[in-house]
Amino acid sequence: VLLGVVSFILYKFNEKSIQARQSDQSHMFLSSLAHDLRSPLNVMMSSLDMMDSPEIRALYSYRILRTAIDTMTMLMSNVTFAYKLDSIKASAPQPRNIRQDLISLAESYSFIANP
């Protein structure tokens, strides 16, 4: 009986150790992924900032590129934030106002319909 109890305790300790290692590995992977994706985005954003002028900002392609970079940067921030929330066992997400979210999204991309 004592041997069974000791075996069970060792099994549980080893299981927690494996979960901790998996969590560390997934954190390292996500950090690397976020860095690898943000670096080129930062280069593109800096290049756009250096070219910034009223004439350039008026170009349709500039606005699309700027929006795409902003969207990708926000996506990476959201993924990182979601991972951090999951790792600290945060509370459930709050209800969203879908109508307001869609209106905001439509306003963000209205320049595509009105170049």
Side-chain angles (χ1 to χ4, degrees), residues 22-93:
Q22 288 174 339
S23 176
D24 289 344
Q25 288 173 350
S26 65
H27 177 70
M28 287 174 46
F29 171 75
L30 185 62
S31 296
S32 298
L33 178 66
H35 173 73
D36 290 347
L37 290 175
R38 278 193 187 122
S39 293
L41 290 172
N42 288 334
V43 169
M44 288 186 276
M45 187 68 75
S46 297
S47 298
L48 285 177
D49 288 342
M50 289 185 335
M51 298 185 321
D52 201 10
S53 71
E55 297 83 20
I56 297 289
R57 270 185 262 135
L59 294 175
Y60 177 71
S61 57
Y62 173 87
R63 292 181 294 180
I64 288 178
L65 184 56
R66 183 69 181 223
T67 302
I69 292 170
D70 290 342
T71 302
M72 190 64 179
T73 303
M74 187 183 310
L75 175 65
M76 287 310 306
S77 296
N78 290 344
V79 167
T80 305
F81 181 72
Y83 176 77
K84 287 178 184 175
L85 282 181
D86 186 47
S87 66
I88 60 172
K89 304 295 181 210
S91 61

Side-chain angles (χ1 to χ4, degrees), residues 6-19:
V6 170
S7 296
F8 179 76
I9 291 171
L10 289 174
Y11 172 77
K12 285 296 184 182
F13 179 74
N14 188 36
E15 184 179 12
K16 287 181 183 178
S17 175
I18 290 171
Q19 289 173 349

